[in-house]
Amino acid sequence: MSKRTETKAGTVSRRAFLGGGATVVAMFALDAAPGSKMARAIAANLPVDTSGGPVNGWILVNADNSVSIAFGGAEMGQGILTGLAQAAAEELMVAWSQVRTQVAPTSQSYITGGSFGIRANFLKMRIAGAQAREVLLAAAAATWGIDASACSVSDGVITNTVTSATLTYAQVAKAASALTPSASPTLTDASKFRMVGRSMARLDLPSKVDGSAVFGIDVRVPGMLYAAVKNCPTIGGTLARTPATPAGAIAVVPLGNAVAVVASNTWAAFKAASSLSVAWTIPTAAAQLTTSTISAQAQTLMATGTAGSPAAERVGDAPGAYGTAVTRIESTYQLPYLPHVCMEVLNCTASVTPTSCEVWVPTQAASWVQATAMAITGLPASAVTVHPTLLGGGLGRKIEQDYVSQAIKVSKAVGKPVKLTWRREEDLSHDQYRPMGLVRVRLGADSGGRLTSIATRTVAPSPLAQRGWMAPTGNDNVEGAEGLPYAAANRLVEYVKHPAAVPVGFWRSVGNSINCFAVESALDELAVALKQDPLAYRRSLLAGDPRTLAVLDRAAADIGWNTAPAKGVARGIALSNGFGSIVALAVEVSQPTAGVMKVNRVACAVDCGLAVNPGQVESQMQGGIIQGIGTAFWGQTTFAKGVASSRNFSNTRMLLMKETPSITVSILQSGLESLGGIGEVAVPPTAPALANAWFKLTGARLRSLPFFPGANRMDD
Amino acid sequence: MTAMKYNVNGSTYQFDADPGMPLLWVIRDIIGLTGTKYGCGVEICKACTVWIDGSPEKSCDMNASEGVGRKITTIEGLSATPVGVRLQNAFIDCQAPQCGYCQSGMLMAAAKLVTSNSKPSDAQIDSALGNICACGTYPRVKQAIKKATGQPT
């Protein structure tokens, strides 16, 4: 293990970051991530730390001529730490072996979500790298008394092209740091990229194969105590009275809707928390939080619709065109609440004193952690230090502040550093779930089979509304229904907010995971009704969108759509466009025993504009498809009077290696101008591709997720 | 509390612990080797896999007292074995880990498999690696095991 990432537990303070022989040679500004509704809501309403001015990052040159690239996001497996380093290193013109990364200070962090990492930061990281290269070259040129244009650079070594003398970046970094970088440095032409677009080795992997990687749960602080939580089993319930400190525990800390037990190690805390007899005050409204009741409410809301609310998308007259259509499909699809299931359970370590607060945490939102700490402790930003760690999975769950707030409150109460860890049972039964959904799709086609109208109505609870980030008549959960690539003159996308109080949040691919299943299944149903091949029918609707068509065609070609499948095997196809990328999946399924689906093969094609690191794009596709299969088969949390069904992996089944099909990934590159996100896009088309293939195989249409809720058990 | 002596990765550790504490938490909280991971506590996910006298075991399912007098190997000790290093390098070459959280358990299971079976088949790899990975690294983990054993990937 020769090379090791610098990304260890804990941010260094700015002073420490600049120390150790490093010299700042460039500073660059990162704006708030543009685009989605979620991003706009974040920008408009959230306690984003602005005390540090614009969100910034730095590139440092170290004494050994390596460079440290500050990383302000969350590395939760998606490889963004490496991808952004590639962007800066490309322009810096250093060798990959010279690249280190370092966690940026909180004021320089960005919220990791919405597959924005590359889209929002790629250009800015390139500018930072280019700025650094230009001032380094200028400093060398000044030393030699020549023009910078007479200098060349390779692997961090600058050559005087007149005399062949050389200087390293490290030798001129001090002088360079006194120069003012250009606001618009010269960027490398995309045709000359030598690092971007290649599968550079991930910088975080050496530490992930020898046990040295530090996730939040691995943080150890001197004098630290350990806490476990017992959250109220019923949604909305609160602690009636603080229980006595049980044997083997040091303290019990009331937390409103939960109670924490503090002990001298994790196991003692777990044991004491689970043995605790707690009196809770349960609101009467909790009785309504039962899955059958929530589903019945959804049916009612579907029927009543959204009178008075603006449609999320309205083109032409979809209801009118549907009414006069020759062929019509109306189908309603049902989706469950879904837990995130990060392998690293929620945890947070906090050390609160009267004058300071330090937090070590696996988080997708370091700046929100700082705001959380400030609100609880009353301390100013300058007294709060957040050390974001590696994340053992994030998936949208670790953007939340519930576990962070608990740890800070417990440390404040006991006056010592505390590592608070949720047992797996707490993690699964107190998630902020992917919303349940009921989606009705109406498709109308004319006598020639042409799609004339497409109308979707999505009934689902709103993560945005639950956080107060959305107007009462706003639309949520419409991703995957709005902006569809298929040609249809009349379109209507409606959202109906479901009021159920089950906590919902942001789950990998958000609304796309709901609507793509409905839309891609319904299109299949229409193709069947029209007696057309599902691929050919989709192709006919994409004639005006060659980019999307190319992706669809590639997946179809990779699965061999135009050849007959083996006996007992059937194929399905589905398409998704979200986060600026396009994904098509073609799958083969079989039925080894009655009622059991086996996924034999998956062919994935993706166009994310430019694949900064194709190997990582492939990884994200493989991983998203594997998560997509597991959740399509078994994923759900149900509720009985406000109590979640999910307990542990015993009733939360995950796809295993032996169940994983062969997956091929083809990457189409439409160019740097259409850079798209990659972390979430493979999940949405997986369930509909499977359902479509299953229909072809068995004649049975799967309109409800999960497909096999009764098979959700795992054992050792 | 009981005084105990452990041999972990060739080093000796002496400490007092509740004999009922799972081995997982002895390793993580008392000895301080945090590469072994908690994932479920109920013997399903296998993130906590270590070797006991050379056999892969789920450390959440063993009591502290059962670790006494045994030779315990954790992910931090894997680099001391030639098979371990070969696998670690192959995991990096194939860029297998994503978030990395389950990879310690994956590697401990894989290293045991390769120690006893120099050319494991796909089915044998599937059977030996029942570890849960939420990122979906399975294709690349399998590829890495094949690469480490000189088999076509």
Side-chain angles (χ1 to χ4, degrees):
Chain A
M1 301 300 102
S2 55
K3 194 171 56 179
R4 178 160 300 166
T5 172
E6 300 298 314
T7 307
K8 294 277 185 174
T11 315
V12 283
S13 66
R14 182 176 173 183
R15 187 190 305 157
F17 186 56
L18 302 182
T23 306
V24 185
V25 293
M27 185 168 127
F28 59 96
L30 298 176
D31 299 321
S36 77
K37 194 178 295 116
M38 182 178 150
R40 289 198 298 273
I42 287 166
N45 296 311
L46 286 166
V48 176
D49 169 41
T50 54
S51 59
V55 188
N56 290 324
W58 290 278
I59 289 167
L60 310 183
V61 176
N62 301 311
D64 64 357
N65 210 35
S66 64
V67 295
S68 292
I69 298 170
F71 171 61
E75 178 52 66
M76 47 193 182
Q78 80 281 41
I80 188 65
L81 177 150
T82 302
L84 291 182
Q86 278 178 253
E90 174 75 57
E91 300 291 350
L92 259 173
M93 299 187 180
V94 290
W96 193 236
S97 59
Q98 290 173 271
V99 176
R100 312 282 180 268
T101 64
Q102 184 62 271
V103 180
T106 307
S107 57
Q108 280 74 48
S109 71
Y110 66 88
I111 306 298
T112 302
S115 295
F116 273 116
I118 288 290
R119 283 186 289 167
N121 302 310
F122 179 73
L123 178 60
K124 285 147 190 166
M125 295 300 288
R126 287 179 63 201
I127 290 170
Q131 285 179 331
R133 182 195 71 232
E134 286 188 352
V135 292
L136 287 157
L137 281 168
T143 303
W144 288 319
I146 60 172
D147 191 86
S149 62
C151 298
S152 68
V153 61
S154 175
D155 294 354
V157 178
I158 304 161
T159 300
N160 179 332
T161 56
V162 181
T163 65
S164 299
T166 61
L167 284 167
T168 66
Y169 276 0
Q171 287 172 312
V172 296
K174 189 156 192 272
S177 68
L179 304 177
T180 303
S182 159
S184 50
T186 304
L187 297 177
T188 303
D189 188 84
S191 66
K192 299 211 168 65
F193 283 160
R194 20 161 228 119
M195 203 170 281
V196 167
R198 297 201 181 173
S199 299
M200 307 310 292
R202 284 178 59 147
L203 298 167
D204 53 340
L205 293 204
S207 74
K208 288 178 173 176
V209 300
D210 66 3
S212 64
V214 178
F215 298 89
I217 202 169
D218 304 325
V219 166
R220 293 164 67 85
V221 176
M224 175 177 88
L225 297 176
Y226 297 78
V229 282
K230 192 180 182 88
N231 294 293
C232 180
T234 307
I235 292 163
T238 51
L239 202 56
R241 56 190 165 275
T242 304
T245 302
I250 294 166
V252 164
V253 181
L255 295 166
N257 60 1
V259 58
V261 180
V262 182
S264 58
N265 59 68
T266 310
W267 177 71
F270 277 6
K271 198 170 132 184
S274 40
S275 71
L276 214 52
S277 174
V278 187
W280 303 100
T281 303
I282 308 297
T284 52
Q288 297 302 307
L289 296 180
T290 293
T291 294
S292 57
T293 309
I294 294 168
S295 298
Q297 283 175 312
Q299 298 284 355
T300 304
L301 289 165
M302 181 63 79
T304 53
T306 53
S309 287
E313 181 178 341
R314 185 192 299 274
V315 179
D317 174 16
Y322 179 76
T324 58
V326 173
T327 306
R328 291 181 222 170
I329 287 291
E330 175 181 315
S331 283
T332 303
Y333 304 86
Q334 194 166 332
L335 300 95
Y337 288 105
L338 271 182
H340 291 81
V341 204
C342 300
M343 284 310 292
E344 180 194 24
V345 292
L346 296 176
N347 69 87
C348 179
T349 302
S351 178
V352 179
T353 73
T355 54
S356 69
C357 176
E358 271 190 276
V359 187
W360 296 259
V361 60
T363 181
Q364 296 175 238
S367 58
W368 297 1
V369 170
Q370 187 178 48
T372 299
M374 289 163 66
I376 293 169
T377 61
L379 292 166
S382 59
V384 175
T385 309
V386 180
H387 307 276
T389 66
L390 289 171
L391 286 75
L395 302 166
R397 180 63 178 96
K398 287 172 183 164
I399 207 162
E400 308 294 353
Q401 299 297 302
D402 47 355
Y403 62 108
V404 175
S405 140
Q406 289 179 340
I408 295 167
K409 286 175 181 170
V410 173
S411 173
K412 188 181 172 202
V414 301
K416 292 206 162 111
V418 172
K419 174 158 71 182
L420 180 139
T421 307
W422 286 27
R423 295 169 68 225
R424 173 61 66 191
E425 288 80 359
E426 295 291 339
D427 186 277
L428 291 176
S429 62
H430 290 80
D431 204 338
Q432 304 196 28
Y433 301 88
R434 195 286 305 275
M436 57 73 66
L438 190 67
V439 187
R440 188 188 69 194
V441 186
R442 285 178 172 165
L443 303 176
D446 64 16
S447 58
R450 286 177 291 270
L451 185 65
T452 52
S453 73
I454 178 162
T456 62
R457 178 177 288 176
T458 302
V459 178
S462 165
L464 295 178
Q466 280 195 359
R467 287 156 179 75
W469 297 355
M470 188 179 89
T473 55
N475 292 300
D476 196 357
N477 298 306
V478 290
E479 304 90 354
E482 61 180 357
L484 293 172
Y486 301 111
N490 303 285
R491 301 157 172 274
L492 179 64
V493 177
E494 295 175 304
Y495 169 65
V496 185
K497 187 175 68 187
H498 193 303
V502 171
V504 290
F506 308 103
W507 191 94
R508 192 181 196 180
S509 83
V510 292
N512 291 286
S513 77
I514 297 172
N515 295 305
C516 183
F517 174 61
V519 168
E520 288 296 315
S521 294
L523 266 175
D524 220 70
E525 297 198 49
L526 179 61
V528 170
L530 293 167
K531 298 188 168 45
Q532 293 202 31
D533 173 75
L535 169 68
Y537 190 59
R538 282 178 175 78
R539 294 193 82 250
S540 74
L541 304 177
L542 292 168
D545 186 345
R547 186 182 170 205
T548 302
L549 189 59
V551 177
L552 186 71
D553 282 347
R554 184 56 184 265
D558 287 351
I559 205 90
W561 191 271
N562 292 326
T563 63
K567 193 173 180 312
V569 174
R571 296 188 185 126
I573 196 160
L575 180 68
S576 173
N577 62 340
F579 309 97
S581 294
I582 303 161
V583 177
L585 289 194
V587 303
E588 283 190 352
V589 305
S590 58
Q591 186 175 206
T593 51
V596 173
M597 187 192 300
K598 177 173 188 243
V599 187
N600 300 45
R601 203 153 70 87
V602 177
C604 169
V606 56
D607 182 345
C608 57
L610 174 79
V612 173
N613 186 317
Q616 291 312 308
V617 172
E618 184 190 77
S619 272
Q620 287 306 300
M621 295 300 104
Q622 291 172 336
I625 291 162
I626 287 167
Q627 186 187 25
I629 295 171
T631 50
F633 276 23
W634 312 298
Q636 71 170 335
T637 299
T638 60
F639 294 87
K641 294 182 176 173
V643 179
S645 62
S646 301
R647 286 288 166 268
N648 203 317
F649 292 117
S650 50
N651 73 350
T652 306
R653 186 168 171 186
M654 308 287 283
L655 201 74
L656 295 174
M657 184 186 284
K658 66 182 179 190
E659 297 151 341
T660 298
S662 145
I663 302 170
T664 60
V665 178
S666 289
I667 301 173
L668 286 75
Q669 312 245 19
S670 58
L672 189 52
E673 308 70 39
S674 43
L675 208 53
I678 214 64
E680 306 176 70
V681 290
V683 179
T686 306
L690 297 175
N692 294 342
W694 186 250
F695 174 82
K696 182 80 179 171
L697 185 71
T698 66
R701 179 61 64 178
L702 298 168
R703 296 193 186 89
S704 179
L705 288 170
F707 300 149
F708 310 111
N712 69 335
R713 306 203 67 81
M714 293 184 95
D715 51 36
D716 57 333
Chain B
M1 298 292 264
T2 306
M4 297 187 193
K5 191 157 92 173
Y6 266 30
N7 178 335
V8 184
N9 304 329
S11 297
T12 302
Y13 296 88
Q14 284 184 294
F15 53 88
D16 292 335
D18 183 326
M21 177 186 286
L23 187 70
L24 166 66
W25 296 109
V26 175
I27 292 169
R28 286 184 54 83
D29 284 356
I30 297 181
I31 292 174
L33 295 173
T34 55
T36 304
K37 297 297 193 257
Y38 166 73
C40 69
V42 295
E43 313 159 46
I44 297 177
C45 80
K46 302 179 176 66
C48 67
T49 302
V50 299
W51 293 351
I52 305 292
D53 294 334
S55 289
E57 298 285 348
K58 288 163 274 188
S59 62
C60 74
D61 185 37
M62 295 182 70
N63 289 333
S65 50
E66 294 179 83
V68 176
R70 317 288 285 276
K71 191 167 169 256
I72 300 168
T73 308
T74 70
I75 184 70
E76 289 89 348
L78 194 64
S79 316
T81 67
V83 161
V85 171
R86 231 168 45 232
L87 279 162
Q88 287 171 322
N89 288 334
F91 271 52
I92 292 173
D93 287 347
C94 296
Q95 295 283 287
Q98 289 185 33
C99 89
Y101 194 80
C102 73
Q103 299 290 310
S104 298
M106 288 273 190
L107 277 156
M108 296 310 287
K112 179 57 196 173
L113 170 68
V114 172
T115 301
S116 56
N117 181 347
S118 61
K119 303 273 179 206
S121 67
D122 279 13
Q124 288 167 330
I125 296 170
D126 284 345
S127 165
L129 274 82
N131 307 55
I132 295 177
C133 171
C135 294
T137 62
Y138 305 131
R140 289 182 172 203
V141 167
K142 186 181 280 185
Q143 186 192 359
I145 294 169
K146 301 201 99 170
K147 184 178 171 111
T149 52
Q151 302 187 78
T153 57

